[in-house]
Amino acid sequence: MKKVEAIIKPFKLDEVKDALAEVGVKGMTVTEVKGFGRTGGKREVYRGSAYVVDFVPKVKIEVVIPDALVVPVLEAIERSAKTGRIGDGKVFVFHVEEAVRIRTGERGEDAV
């Protein structure tokens, strides 16, 4: 199993959610996060004063999937989250050792 974490622009969440559902992802965790990458945030003007916003609002999507879904999931996220502009986000893939469904005691892919 793999855990896929995608950090995307907030307005792309619905598109990514729909794309993931199309490739067979049945559940996900979504968290509102803030961060910055290479650009170091963005410059904004408020009441005539320019200032730098260090942390840009983003959304983090986390899904745990069978190994066979990794490529379709990555393609779905990239296709649906891409705007072609700076700050589109990142995707990370981690190995998952074990998963347990607390209610039933199911383990491994059955728990996902």
Side-chain angles (χ1 to χ4, degrees):
M1 292 176 296
K2 302 287 191 230
K3 179 179 182 183
V4 177
E5 288 186 4
I7 299 172
I8 63 169
K9 292 183 175 184
F11 68 89
K12 286 294 198 172
L13 177 59
D14 287 334
E15 287 179 58
V16 173
K17 180 179 68 88
D18 293 342
L20 290 174
E22 287 176 15
V23 297
V25 174
K26 293 179 176 48
M28 66 182 65
T29 301
V30 177
T31 311
E32 292 179 6
V33 296
K34 293 181 181 185
F36 64 90
R38 291 184 186 161
T39 58
K42 61 183 179 180
R43 182 174 296 278
E44 291 190 3
V45 177
Y46 179 72
R47 293 188 178 182
S49 298
Y51 65 98
V52 175
V53 177
D54 289 336
F55 297 102
V56 181
K58 300 285 182 178
V59 172
K60 179 166 74 169
I61 300 171
E62 298 173 88
V63 296
V64 177
I65 55 173
D67 290 340
L69 280 182
V70 171
V71 172
V73 163
L74 291 176
E75 290 173 350
I77 292 170
E78 186 176 2
R79 180 180 65 251
S80 58
K82 186 175 187 173
T83 66
R85 302 183 67 193
I86 291 173
D88 275 350
K90 298 265 191 310
V91 182
F92 305 99
V93 180
F94 305 94
H95 176 72
V96 174
E97 195 70 32
E98 181 66 278
V100 178
R101 184 184 309 267
I102 295 171
R103 180 177 55 87
T104 62
E106 293 171 291
R107 294 185 173 272
E109 288 186 16
D110 292 335
V112 179

